[in-house]
Amino acid sequence: MEFCPKCKSLMYPKEGEMSCKKCGYVKISETDKTELVSKTSRDNSDVTVLEEDTDIGLPTTNARCPECGHNLAYWWLRQLRSADESETRFFKCTKCQKTWREYD
């Protein structure tokens, strides 16, 4: 990650150069390394919660599962919205594996 020396905004790679979208400053890349930039966008409704057996080792709490009524669930926090808003709490039932979220 590189910042513009003039306006301190984030610079983006473009055709072997680093370019500032705010003030237009352009810097020729000094290294031969290839920059990796994702060209795909992600739908805001897509949230990867947990994949496969990553729930192993998560803390548990007393939380009633809306699916099966079991009272024990894994829990974790994930920042989904802007940084000035609270994190979202996720729960995963230890019995039926149903996942749900809770907002503040």
Side-chain angles (χ1 to χ4, degrees):
M1 193 172 341
E2 194 168 336
F3 295 94
C4 177
K6 289 186 175 183
C7 69
K8 308 297 184 220
S9 294
L10 186 63
M11 295 185 68
Y12 297 90
K14 183 180 178 183
E15 299 173 5
E17 301 174 334
M18 295 299 285
S19 174
C20 177
K21 291 183 179 181
K22 186 174 180 182
C23 73
Y25 178 82
V26 176
K27 176 184 173 186
I28 297 173
S29 183
E30 298 169 356
T31 62
D32 291 336
K33 70 178 184 175
T34 304
E35 300 286 339
L36 299 177
V37 177
S38 174
K39 302 270 184 190
T40 61
S41 64
R42 192 171 117 174
D43 185 9
N44 286 339
S45 64
D46 293 343
V47 176
T48 303
V49 179
L50 284 179
E51 295 177 355
E52 298 175 15
D53 292 332
T54 55
D55 56 356
I56 296 171
L58 287 175
T60 57
T61 188
N62 292 328
R64 187 166 195 79
C65 175
E67 188 75 22
C68 71
H70 189 67
N71 287 322
L72 188 63
Y74 299 111
W75 68 274
W76 65 97
L77 298 173
R78 181 82 42 101
Q79 185 72 42
L80 300 178
R81 297 170 286 187
S82 62
D84 64 339
E85 296 183 37
S86 63
E87 296 174 315
T88 303
R89 277 187 308 278
F90 286 90
F91 298 94
K92 183 174 182 181
C93 179
T94 58
K95 184 177 180 184
C96 72
Q97 306 303 307
K98 164 83 173 162
T99 302
W100 71 97
R101 60 177 91 184
E102 217 177 72
Y103 304 98
D104 279 337

